[in-house]
Amino acid sequence: MTATPDLGTARLAAPDLLRSAFRRHAAGVAVITADGDSGPVGFTATSLTSVSVEPPLVSFGIGVGASSWPAIAKTEHVGIHILGDHQSELAATFARSGADRFGAPTAWREGPEGVPVLDDVLAWLVCRVVGRVPAGDHRIVLAEVVLGDPSGTGRPLLYHQGRFNGLRD
């Protein structure tokens, strides 16, 4: 059953309209990491997208006001981590402003190209940044996959209605 649009309740485009609409869109959860001048940086992203298979390209968005942006703005490589439904606390840590994202209990190691690689994720990729495209108050980062490991087990973590959730049957 589909709802008939009620054009009488339509609202003009504004940040609140976009946020409200996208709270209804379930998205996979990833953590993006990089090696910054003062150590590792990272943030939770729900904007991760597969762009191309040949060459293998992905994209993600980041706000220019984000604490991780200065490192992402100049790094050559990023780590992309697809989270499992057992990692809602990890996702929350990397989403929280001012959190010690790489302190205990976060388990990670330095990976290829100096990229921080998180443990126990469904999949991780190390990618070479090939472009940063201005998009309003964000940048869309294009990155070419260099290597990774997709062998983690479990179900994906999703973000929906402002909460981290597991996938249900």
Side-chain angles (χ1 to χ4, degrees):
M1 175 178 202
T2 59
T4 302
D6 182 356
L7 300 178
T9 61
R11 302 185 317 203
L12 292 175
D16 182 55
L17 172 61
L18 186 65
R19 285 185 194 103
S20 294
F22 272 83
R23 280 189 189 104
R24 288 157 175 79
H25 174 71
V29 181
V31 168
I32 312 298
T33 61
D35 184 30
D37 290 339
S38 301
V41 300
F43 65 98
T44 299
T46 57
S47 60
L48 179 64
T49 304
S50 170
V51 174
S52 169
V53 174
E54 199 54 51
L57 295 173
V58 297
S59 71
F60 60 87
I62 180 172
V64 296
S67 61
S68 297
W69 170 242
I72 300 294
K74 61 184 179 180
T75 192
E76 291 184 26
H77 292 87
V78 295
I80 297 177
H81 308 84
I82 298 172
L83 301 189
D85 63 2
H86 62 288
Q87 296 178 303
S88 60
E89 284 302 315
L90 182 67
T93 296
F94 276 84
R96 196 169 29 254
S97 181
D100 181 5
R101 296 173 178 158
F102 291 90
T106 301
W108 66 282
R109 63 196 178 286
E110 183 177 318
E113 304 295 341
V115 171
V117 174
L118 303 176
D119 291 347
D120 199 28
V121 294
L122 297 184
W124 61 266
L125 304 168
V126 171
C127 303
R128 182 178 59 84
V129 175
V130 297
R132 295 170 185 87
V133 180
D137 61 356
H138 278 61
R139 295 297 179 266
I140 305 302
V141 178
L142 291 169
E144 183 174 9
V145 177
V146 176
L147 56 91
D149 182 359
S151 65
T153 60
R155 299 173 70 113
L157 183 64
L158 300 177
Y159 188 73
H160 181 251
Q161 292 287 12
R163 294 183 26 230
F164 297 112
N165 300 280
L167 184 65
R168 293 187 206 132
D169 289 328

